[in-house]
Amino acid sequence: MTKCILATGGAGYIGSHTTVELLRAGHSVVILDNFENSARDALASIPKIAGGGKIWLAEGDVRNARLVADVIQRHSVDAVIHFAGKKAVGESVADPLLYYHDNITGALSVLSAMRGTGCKRLVFSSSATVYGDVKMLPIPETAPTCSSNPYGRTKLMIEEIIDDFVASTDDFGALSLRYFNPVGAHPSGFIGESPIGTPNNLFPFIAQTAAGMRDMVQIFGNDYETRDGTGSRDYIHVVDLARGHVAAVEHLLSQTTNILPHRKVNLGTGKGHTVLEVLNTFSKVCGFQIPHRIVPRRPGDVGLSLADPSLAFGLFNWRAELGLDEMCRDHWRFQAATNEPRGRRRTRLGAEARWANRVWEDFESLGIAEGRNALA
Ligand code: WQD
């Protein structure tokens, strides 16, 4: 089944990894991105990592419904995966109107463009943030939703908009994927997460501390009811997450009759890891102890979050396969490959030359022989 998939925000962290997996699955991909929160250079690596495939880029704003419709018609798009949107919890609290405008307008634009062009399969990038502070663990999709921030509320509102739109049709199929904590990077080291400014999230902050860009990891509280008192999350490798999107969109495209109602589906591993467990694994991977200290809890944090991922397996036969070691190893490799040694403090690894060899050796072992040229 070779289809053409439109990935709005497809140059972003999860979008770029999903594009690689779509190409590897034999589909062609159109990326619509305005590069407001993504880098063009990620695109150059995608065909190389995927080993070929058809990929087009439409540079523009997803809030422009005519542009979205034009892209769908021009490429005879079979399904849309809607990633584009703002995703920083803290920023959404500081500027809620920006989040409601951008995220809701973007979703309405995609839906109206799909209606106008007869494109009838949608996967929406939602988030476990819609659950708020849920006591029942692991969290099933039937858990009550009540997000504690504007970002999470935009995700919830868009899910409800899709509910109503799907109910008004008899042939539109949609799935909303609720991500737990996406982390890691592609094992090639070519693509990964490059947060702008100081990272809020744990993995990029640890990686930048290990790279000598930050002095110390602050552990927000060690008095939670977890194995070691530090916060526990369901971290999922971004490549597993990407493969979940491929499985979800192929499931939708296989439905030609009896279109199922809009379903919300958790994408998580069902395994929790504490902050200290992540830190210790990262230290093992990079070969030295990463400096850290305990500080008071971060306001708004929940102590534990854990997915019940069984619906994804039941619905489209997907489950996460990569563990914490791979998450840390791949995240560290990307950090090592992208850190410009020139002009930055030397890392705790010492000479950057060791870094480069370390990264390129991995490329060769992965059979990506041209990795060296790509990085030169
Ligand atoms: C994880 C754990 C912190 C940083 C994010 C956002 C959002 C969502 C994924 C998409 C917690 C602890 C963190 C640090 C720390 N994605 N921590 N020191 O809190 O689950 O939130 O979830 O929707 O991006 O909602 O992820 O990585 O910020 O924190 O101790 O410097 O690490 O207390 O226990 P979180 P996180």
Side-chain angles (χ1 to χ4, degrees):
M1 167 177 61
T2 295
K3 298 291 183 183
C4 181
I5 312 296
L6 168 60
T8 71
Y13 175 44
I14 298 166
S16 56
H17 287 82
T18 301
T19 298
V20 167
E21 297 305 322
L22 286 166
L23 293 172
R24 291 183 65 229
H27 303 295
S28 59
V29 181
V30 189
I31 286 177
L32 172 61
D33 209 304
N34 64 1
F35 298 105
E36 189 181 283
N37 191 23
S38 53
R40 282 175 177 71
D41 56 10
L43 296 181
S45 309
I46 290 176
K48 193 185 304 294
I49 303 172
K54 287 185 183 168
I55 176 172
W56 293 272
L57 169 65
E59 183 166 353
D61 196 316
V62 73
R63 292 164 295 183
N64 177 343
R66 287 184 56 189
L67 170 64
V68 179
D70 177 50
V71 169
I72 290 173
Q73 282 178 318
R74 186 188 304 262
H75 295 279
S76 306
V77 166
D78 298 293
V80 177
I81 304 181
H82 179 42
F83 294 104
K86 296 196 181 327
K87 61 167 189 168
V89 172
E91 184 186 43
S92 79
V93 174
D95 193 348
L97 294 185
L98 175 69
Y99 271 66
Y100 288 120
H101 179 269
D102 283 14
N103 290 0
I104 306 297
T105 306
L108 291 172
S109 164
V110 167
L111 286 169
S112 56
M114 291 181 75
R115 179 177 61 181
T117 55
C119 181
K120 299 179 185 293
R121 297 291 181 270
L122 171 68
V123 172
F124 171 57
S125 166
S126 190
S127 166
T129 309
V130 303
Y131 292 118
D133 189 357
V134 178
K135 297 305 176 207
M136 67 166 94
L137 293 177
I139 304 172
E141 288 82 356
T142 51
T145 51
C146 60
S147 185
S148 57
N149 57 73
Y151 159 74
R153 279 194 278 276
T154 65
K155 293 296 188 181
L156 207 43
M157 289 176 188
I158 294 166
E159 287 186 3
E160 290 166 351
I161 290 168
I162 297 171
D163 277 340
D164 291 341
F165 178 67
V166 169
S168 74
T169 75
D170 56 11
D171 58 358
F172 192 96
L175 288 169
S176 287
L177 304 181
R178 291 173 173 172
Y179 310 159
F180 278 70
N181 286 62
V183 295
H186 191 272
S188 65
F190 277 121
I191 55 175
E193 185 183 19
S194 301
I196 298 164
T198 305
N200 295 311
N201 296 141
L202 181 67
F203 262 71
F205 202 99
I206 290 178
Q208 289 188 10
T209 304
M213 296 162 65
R214 309 281 167 199
D215 293 329
M216 167 107 43
V217 176
Q218 298 193 98
I219 299 179
F220 298 139
N222 66 345
D223 54 355
Y224 289 108
E225 291 180 22
T226 63
R227 287 186 286 274
D228 56 31
T230 61
S232 177
R233 293 290 186 276
D234 187 328
Y235 298 101
I236 175 170
H237 197 295
V238 65
V239 172
D240 271 331
L241 195 68
R243 290 171 180 159
H245 285 76
V246 177
V249 76
E250 289 182 342
H251 170 72
L252 282 179
L253 287 163
S254 69
Q255 287 175 6
T256 50
T257 57
N258 307 320
I259 305 296
L260 292 174
H262 171 216
R263 304 293 297 271
K264 295 85 175 187
V265 185
N266 289 338
L267 292 191
T269 66
K271 299 184 189 74
H273 293 288
T274 68
V275 177
L276 275 174
E277 289 165 350
V278 172
L279 207 56
N280 293 335
T281 305
F282 228 106
S283 296
K284 179 181 72 177
V285 159
C286 57
F288 52 80
Q289 187 59 41
I290 296 167
H292 58 275
R293 66 185 173 136
I294 306 289
V295 297
R297 292 183 177 190
R298 177 172 64 176
D301 263 356
V302 297
L304 290 86
S305 173
L306 185 67
D308 172 351
S310 55
L311 179 60
F313 186 71
L315 210 50
F316 41 80
N317 197 33
W318 171 90
R319 62 160 61 102
E321 296 172 350
L322 300 169
L324 186 60
D325 282 5
E326 289 93 345
M327 294 175 205
C328 294
R329 179 204 66 197
D330 295 340
H331 209 118
W332 175 233
R333 183 184 295 111
F334 176 70
Q335 181 68 52
T338 52
N339 210 54
E340 301 81 42
R342 283 178 298 285
R344 295 237 186 162
R345 287 189 301 169
R346 285 181 180 279
T347 73
R348 291 175 176 75
L349 271 181
E352 63 274 8
R354 217 153 80 214
W355 257 12
N357 290 335
R358 185 187 173 96
V359 171
W360 286 326
E361 275 155 19
D362 285 332
F363 284 142
E364 270 126 32
S365 68
L366 285 164
I368 302 175
E370 68 277 19
R372 189 179 298 276
N373 306 329
L375 282 180

